[in-house]
Amino acid sequence: MCGRFAITLPDEAMAQLFGATPSNDLPEVPRYNVCPTTQVAAVTSAEGARRLRPMRWGLVPHWYKSPTDGPLLINARAETVAEKPAFRAACRERRCIVPASGFYEWTKDGEGNRLPWYITRTDGAPMAFAAIWQDWSREGEDKVDGPTVAIVTTAATHEMAEIHHRTPVILEPDDWAKWLGEEGKGAATLMTPPQAGAVRMWRVGREVNSNRASGASLVEPLEA
């Protein structure tokens, strides 16, 4: 799964990378501990124009009466995203890309302590997570007031499988247009794990176990 990530690219750099027009209310960057239910930047495409927009991480299906009316849907499994009622319409009509610099995953030691790892691309390029989105709004205290998003995950292979059985779907630049629906059908073929050698990972300090932790030190390799 993907439950935390980092994004360090400035808004203008993200917009230029994806050829998108940035909104003026994007969440602040850099952020080294992006958590569910917070705002993230996402790339959408409509009528030939891409936008970089803020979205709440945690897709809220249209039938939810409040954002907490059911499970927190931060991830959507690639194997079932086209079939699950909460995701299938979004998978067909509302695919997007969530930029990231890297993400965190956890293993456990013999005593059950959670040991965090940071995963990023081997080539140093930004990551582009495949994602889907859904507008949701209700009047009242729990009003979300905007789009919500879930990151698509798939079975891990190669390096990632050593620390977790799931991984975000990381799109290559040549695949962005197809995922965004700009090049016809075939998006389902993109929901695959990273190729061997595409990512690298290292242990980081346990400070990131807290969703309140912040700062560049969170992604620094743990000293032996």
Side-chain angles (χ1 to χ4, degrees):
M1 65 175 293
C2 178
R4 303 271 191 88
F5 67 91
I7 176 66
T8 61
L9 280 179
D11 294 342
E12 289 300 327
M14 280 191 282
Q16 183 175 6
L17 178 66
F18 291 97
T21 301
S23 298
N24 59 12
D25 56 349
L26 292 167
E28 292 185 6
V29 286
R31 298 165 69 199
Y32 292 90
N33 191 10
V34 181
C35 301
T37 74
T38 63
Q39 294 287 304
V40 301
V43 180
T44 61
S45 180
E47 299 179 353
R50 293 182 182 177
R51 291 179 57 198
L52 185 65
R53 314 165 52 186
M55 297 189 182
R56 176 188 183 271
W57 185 14
L59 187 141
V60 182
H62 66 84
W63 62 82
Y64 275 26
K65 296 180 181 178
S66 78
T68 57
D69 198 31
L72 181 60
L73 304 176
I74 63 171
N75 295 153
R77 294 174 66 93
E79 297 87 344
T80 57
V81 66
E83 304 166 2
K84 293 285 187 180
F87 303 135
R88 61 191 177 199
C91 185
R92 290 194 306 269
E93 305 165 7
R94 293 182 299 279
R95 296 189 298 272
C96 63
I97 293 172
V98 173
S101 301
F103 65 99
Y104 299 95
E105 200 49 80
W106 281 261
T107 55
K108 291 184 178 181
D109 63 17
E111 299 178 353
N113 297 309
R114 300 178 73 229
L115 309 177
W117 296 72
Y118 185 64
I119 301 99
T120 189
R121 287 183 62 115
T122 302
D123 60 10
M127 290 180 162
F129 294 155
I132 56 175
W133 65 278
Q134 169 74 54
D135 270 321
W136 188 94
S137 64
R138 294 286 191 281
E139 296 298 329
E141 295 181 1
D142 292 329
K143 187 175 181 182
V144 168
D145 218 6
T148 63
V149 64
I151 294 168
V152 180
T153 67
T154 190
T157 58
H158 310 304
E159 301 89 353
M160 267 301 301
E162 298 177 8
I163 61 172
H164 200 273
H165 65 286
R166 304 293 296 178
T167 179
V169 172
I170 302 169
L171 301 169
E172 297 297 327
D174 289 346
D175 298 328
W176 295 348
K178 181 174 287 186
W179 181 257
L180 292 173
E182 299 168 348
E183 292 184 351
K185 299 180 180 179
T189 64
L190 306 178
M191 294 189 285
T192 58
Q195 296 182 354
V199 300
R200 59 193 181 108
M201 61 200 71
W202 56 83
R203 276 285 318 282
V204 294
R206 292 166 62 180
E207 292 81 6
V208 76
N209 289 0
S210 168
N211 59 13
R212 297 182 179 181
S214 63
S217 63
L218 297 180
V219 302
E220 293 178 359
L222 189 67
E223 295 183 5

